[in-house]
């Protein structure tokens, strides 16, 4: 009976559930990162945010954890938090094109603010069609608004 009460199941099994003693998920930072990435890939970005925030708190200088967290925040529509995470990445490494793409606030409707980071991302990686397409869309919207 005691063992059964400890087996509170999360989405992917007992390892996603918090430990009753500490409230922390089972495993270490790498485990949290891996489970967060799996949840993100499976289409559960909000659940991924919870694990990846824990990992980012434990390893605050990890760009890979911060990027995964930013993606999860972005995909779960936590845009303000995603922007903060993407800005941290850009500040740590200005050559991160995806972070510039993430900084583009075009999904929140701020086309003016979106234009510059999208232009930077598209200039850094013109082979990334979604960067170029997003930039064209933002510029077309801004032209239409000015007309």
């Amino acid at each position: 009976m005691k063992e059964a009460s400890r087996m509170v199941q999360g989405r992917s099994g007992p390892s996603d559930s918090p430990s009753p003693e500490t409230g922390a998920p089972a495993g270490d930072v790498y485990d949290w990162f891996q489970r967060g990435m799996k949840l993100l890939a499976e289409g559960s970005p909000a659940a991924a945010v919870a694990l990846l925030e824990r990992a980012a708190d434990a390893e605050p200088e990890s760009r890979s954890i911060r990027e995964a967290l930013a993606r999860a925040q972005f995909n779960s529509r936590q845009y303000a938090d995603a922007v903060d995470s993407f800005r941290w990445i850009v500040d740590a490494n200005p050559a991160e094109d995806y972070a510039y793409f993430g900084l583009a606030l075009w999904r929140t409707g701020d086309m003016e603010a979106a234009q510059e980071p999208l232009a930077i991302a598209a200039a850094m990686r013109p082979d990334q069609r979604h960067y170029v397409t997003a930039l064209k869309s933002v510029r077309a919207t801004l032209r239409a608004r000015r007309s």
Side-chain angles (χ1 to χ4, degrees):
M1 179 76 167
K2 183 177 179 182
E3 189 64 33
S5 67
R6 290 181 41 191
M7 294 291 288
V8 178
Q9 299 247 333
R11 179 176 171 169
S12 297
S15 62
D16 286 343
S17 300
S19 162
E21 296 84 26
T22 66
D28 61 13
V29 175
Y30 183 75
D31 295 326
W32 302 338
F33 174 73
Q34 289 298 314
R35 288 197 313 269
M37 293 297 291
K38 182 178 180 194
L39 287 166
L40 188 55
E42 291 174 346
S44 297
V49 166
L51 281 169
L52 294 168
E53 281 177 339
R54 176 75 66 158
D57 288 344
E59 294 287 337
E61 299 303 312
S62 171
R63 284 197 310 256
S64 58
I65 291 172
R66 190 70 66 145
E67 182 177 319
L69 174 59
R71 288 174 187 246
Q73 290 165 329
F74 190 84
N75 290 346
S76 62
R77 296 187 171 101
Q78 297 176 32
Y79 297 122
D81 292 335
V83 166
D84 289 342
S85 294
F86 283 125
R87 188 166 286 120
W88 182 95
I89 295 166
V90 167
D91 289 345
N93 183 5
E96 292 285 343
D97 59 283
Y98 186 79
Y100 283 103
F101 178 70
L103 275 175
L105 302 177
W106 56 276
R107 287 198 178 180
T108 61
D110 189 348
M111 300 295 171
E112 288 291 336
Q115 188 171 212
E116 183 179 344
L118 277 175
I120 292 169
M124 292 172 83
R125 294 288 308 273
D127 60 311
Q128 295 293 319
R129 292 178 62 144
H130 57 284
Y131 294 178
V132 175
T133 301
L135 179 59
K136 286 179 181 178
S137 176
V138 164
R139 288 182 171 162
T141 299
L142 288 171
R143 278 193 304 276
R145 288 181 181 172
R146 290 181 189 124
S147 298

